[in-house]
Amino acid sequence: MKLSKRLSAIDSLIAQPTDIVWDCCCDHGYLGLALLKRNAAKKVIFVDIVPNLMADLESLLMRVSAQQNSYSSSEQWQVMCKDVGRILLGKNIKQTVVIAGVGGELLLKLVQQIIANNSIESVQNTRFILCPVHHTYDVRVGLNMLGLGLISEQLVCENKRFYEIIEVSFNSNTKVSCTGLHMWDFTNKEHITYKQQLLNHYNKMLNKDEVYYQKVITDYQGLADS
């Protein structure tokens, strides 16, 4: 299965040796399957709360494992049908938690719960690769409040929809910009289009909370177009 542009971008970020990759809100598990195929981690753990999806994914993994005689469930992969916020991170190992394909409010809540439910030692050795469907400004504000620092960020356009991929950890001292700084390329028409979409959206939100959303608009307007 060929990865989408968004998942390919996330896949490319997992380049260094990693003990565990948590493919959270994994849906059909395409990202995790690609990671397994290239041995990107010692173990890939698929996590989603939808029972039928996880049952189908586990069946697929067992079938592929048997056909290729390549990776076993006990050693290289595991399927968990549970609330992502309740995952228990390993200690003294390098881990990557990927959360993509969900709204910004839920995504931030899951990150907050993971941090709250695990030891400092565990989360210190964990990086998060996050790709919210929307509300990225609020996600970025929340990541700053949690004390997470930016590793990288990029903007991906796929099927006329825009996605921000934000890579963070507690080991980075780089502040997460509320609007993004390093992902923008205003020589790219798609980036200009995305910025205008954001401005149009937040202008419509002014009647809900004028003070807050005017600040958001001003922050985006402050991004240089050239």
Side-chain angles (χ1 to χ4, degrees):
M1 179 71 186
K2 184 179 179 181
L3 291 179
S4 65
K5 190 175 180 180
R6 175 175 58 98
L7 291 181
S8 292
I10 295 173
D11 177 67
S12 67
L13 293 175
I14 306 172
Q16 299 301 317
T18 303
D19 292 306
I20 296 177
V21 173
W22 298 81
D23 185 5
C24 301
C25 306
C26 61
D27 198 14
H28 298 288
Y30 297 142
L31 173 65
L33 285 163
L35 296 173
L36 278 174
K37 187 174 181 180
R38 65 179 180 86
N39 295 313
K42 292 180 180 178
K43 188 169 188 176
V44 176
I45 303 178
F46 301 81
V47 189
D48 206 310
I49 203 169
V50 184
N52 61 320
L53 280 177
M54 302 314 286
D56 289 346
L57 176 58
E58 187 164 26
S59 296
L60 173 62
L61 284 161
M62 292 177 69
R63 193 161 60 248
V64 172
S65 297
Q67 290 173 351
Q68 299 183 358
N69 193 26
S70 55
Y71 36 82
S72 67
S73 60
S74 61
E75 294 180 359
Q76 290 181 278
W77 61 266
Q78 183 178 355
V79 173
M80 290 185 179
C81 184
K82 67 184 299 182
D83 184 342
V84 168
R86 296 182 178 275
I87 65 173
L88 295 178
L89 303 172
K91 296 181 180 179
N92 302 316
I93 57 175
K94 291 184 178 180
Q95 297 168 97
T96 298
V97 173
V98 180
I99 308 177
V102 296
E105 184 178 352
L106 174 58
L107 183 146
L108 184 59
K109 180 182 178 181
L110 294 175
V111 174
Q112 291 168 336
Q113 290 176 337
I114 291 170
I115 293 170
N117 291 334
N118 287 275
S119 67
I120 295 174
E121 293 80 11
S122 295
V123 295
Q124 284 288 347
N125 290 322
T126 301
R127 66 169 173 160
F128 294 85
I129 299 176
L130 310 171
C131 185
V133 174
H134 45 62
H135 298 154
T136 52
Y137 187 97
D138 293 338
V139 169
R140 289 168 171 275
V141 170
L143 295 176
N144 267 322
M145 292 178 67
L146 289 169
L148 286 157
L150 183 72
I151 300 174
S152 73
E153 59 185 5
Q154 57 183 298
L155 182 58
V156 174
C157 181
E158 177 184 289
N159 298 326
K160 297 183 180 180
R161 295 190 66 177
F162 295 93
Y163 300 93
E164 297 179 27
I165 300 173
I166 310 165
E167 182 185 12
V168 293
S169 82
F170 285 107
N171 294 320
S172 171
N173 294 320
T174 303
K175 184 178 178 180
V176 179
S177 165
C178 294
T179 58
L181 286 178
H182 308 290
M183 68 177 187
W184 295 100
D185 175 10
F186 289 115
T187 63
N188 186 325
K189 290 183 179 179
E190 289 182 340
H191 288 217
I192 297 172
T193 297
Y194 178 53
K195 177 185 171 183
Q196 191 57 53
Q197 283 184 6
L198 290 169
L199 289 171
N200 292 343
H201 168 71
Y202 287 115
N203 269 294
K204 292 177 182 177
M205 300 294 287
L206 282 171
N207 62 338
K208 293 189 176 182
D209 187 339
E210 184 174 358
V211 174
Y212 177 75
Y213 289 111
Q214 185 56 60
K215 181 185 183 304
V216 176
I217 291 167
T218 300
D219 287 347
Y220 280 113
Q221 287 175 332
L223 293 169
D225 287 347
S226 61

